[in-house]
Amino acid sequence: MSLVDFRSLTQPVGMMRIMAAILTCMSFSLVASAGHVQSPYWAWCMFTWVFCFFFTLLILILEFTTVSAKLPFAWEDFTTAFAMLACLMCLTTSIIYPSFFTCGNCHRQIGASVVSWVCFGVYACEVVLTRLHPSGQNIGFLSTLPGMMKMLETFIACLIFTSLESSQFRTPGLRWCVAVYSLCFIFSIVIILLTIGQLTSSFPFSFDKLVIVYNILAAVMYATAMVIWPLYSFPSNKRPANCGHHCPWDKLVVVTFMTIINFIVYTLDTVYSIRLVFFVSNQ
């Protein structure tokens, strides 16, 4: 029989999570009441608020009922990783939603935007609180710099997927770029799940060196996409004159910049992992 832990709700982190659950619920409720909009960015914003609300509420329930202590993975690592992911998601949503879907008379949309910014601040506070480990205390992979870069890589890939449209897959070059985004996203998720599940020690070879090989391949693949995507997407290099507020050309620009950013992140991840495995660990 599970016991209940009231301290999980009264501690600073618990109170931050309660606030985040309330604020995310307010955000998607306000936006839903304003009506549906046919846009992948609107869908991304709604997904962000619902996703953050669901998992924040789930974390609160699992900690309150002490079920979290019985789970077969690093719970603190998972909650810290989720807080950082939710912080990033709320930040981008707080920028995207008011940029595309608010106006001077859109009171509900403005309210949702303000609440979303407050929610970003709450998750940022949670990240700070969960990162304050006592000296000498072990922290999980996702709380380290390589782990945070892995989460950033998958998050940027999600932004890329949000900006993709089926009409962009006409040429082999663009299909290769989509394959790059998809494969790197899948393998990064697998690495994150293996580390959270503490399954890396079951491999008959060095998992850290395998990750380095993957990082090198991912960086090379993103380097090709960084060249091929704009080459095939912008044959005229001009934005159509009659393109409206939700212009498909703008999404091509978003994918281009996100590809460059993710290439930089994968490159930094590779360099840092090589330094960590081959230099620091041998000292």
Side-chain angles (χ1 to χ4, degrees):
M1 182 178 178
S2 296
L3 302 175
V4 293
D5 182 12
F6 287 98
R7 280 186 72 248
S8 65
L9 303 179
T10 57
Q11 288 180 336
V13 174
M15 289 188 285
M16 290 293 109
R17 288 170 181 161
I18 293 171
M19 289 177 60
I22 294 171
L23 291 168
T24 49
C25 183
M26 288 174 60
S27 293
F28 73 72
S29 298
L30 284 167
V31 172
S33 65
H36 180 264
V37 179
Q38 284 287 355
S39 169
Y41 294 132
W42 186 91
W44 166 257
C45 294
M46 282 295 286
F47 169 77
T48 294
W49 293 318
V50 174
F51 172 84
C52 292
F53 169 75
F54 174 78
F55 276 97
T56 302
L57 187 62
L58 181 64
I59 289 170
L60 285 168
I61 293 171
L62 292 178
E63 290 201 340
F64 179 68
T65 57
T66 67
V67 174
S68 59
K70 302 176 178 64
L71 295 176
F73 55 83
W75 176 254
E76 289 189 6
D77 199 20
F78 167 74
T79 54
T80 302
F82 168 75
M84 288 187 283
L85 179 62
C87 185
L88 284 173
M89 292 175 73
C90 286
L91 174 61
T92 55
T93 299
S94 300
I95 296 171
I96 291 171
Y97 189 78
S99 300
F100 285 96
F101 306 108
T102 59
C103 60
N105 298 321
C106 304
H107 303 299
R108 294 179 185 178
Q109 290 89 333
I110 292 172
S113 302
V114 173
V115 172
S116 184
W117 274 111
V118 177
C119 194
F120 159 69
V122 171
Y123 277 119
C125 290
E126 184 184 343
V127 170
V128 172
L129 291 172
T130 53
R131 290 279 296 166
L132 293 177
H133 293 277
S135 178
Q137 181 175 325
N138 291 327
I139 59 175
F141 170 76
L142 296 179
S143 299
T144 63
L145 184 58
M148 287 187 281
M149 283 194 283
K150 273 285 165 282
M151 288 192 297
L152 184 59
E153 290 155 7
T154 57
F155 173 72
I156 293 173
C158 288
L159 294 180
I160 291 173
F161 294 143
T162 304
S163 301
L164 292 176
E165 293 183 353
S166 58
S167 60
Q168 298 166 352
F169 309 153
R170 292 188 297 268
T171 62
L174 295 181
R175 286 197 288 270
W176 162 253
C177 294
V178 174
V180 169
Y181 305 142
S182 303
L183 288 172
C184 293
F185 173 77
I186 292 169
F187 281 107
S188 292
I189 289 291
V190 169
I191 291 171
I192 290 172
L193 293 176
L194 288 173
T195 52
I196 290 180
Q198 299 176 333
L199 301 173
T200 57
S201 59
S202 61
F203 283 78
F205 45 81
S206 173
F207 184 77
D208 292 336
K209 292 180 181 178
L210 176 65
V211 172
I212 289 174
V213 173
Y214 160 72
N215 286 339
I216 294 171
L217 289 174
V220 171
M221 291 169 70
Y222 260 92
T224 63
M226 187 173 61
V227 175
I228 293 172
W229 181 267
L231 189 66
Y232 281 87
S233 297
F234 305 105
S236 61
N237 290 325
K238 291 182 180 180
R239 190 178 192 270
N242 58 347
C243 210
H245 189 52
H246 302 285
C247 183
W249 190 89
D250 295 340
K251 296 178 183 178
L252 299 176
V253 176
V254 171
V255 174
T256 302
F257 278 102
M258 290 298 106
T259 302
I260 295 170
I261 292 171
N262 228 9
F263 165 72
I264 294 171
V265 176
Y266 272 110
T267 303
L268 293 175
D269 193 4
T270 302
V271 172
Y272 188 81
S273 298
I274 290 173
R275 176 182 174 274
L276 206 61
V277 172
F278 293 103
F279 296 98
V280 176
S281 61
N282 292 332
Q283 289 181 357

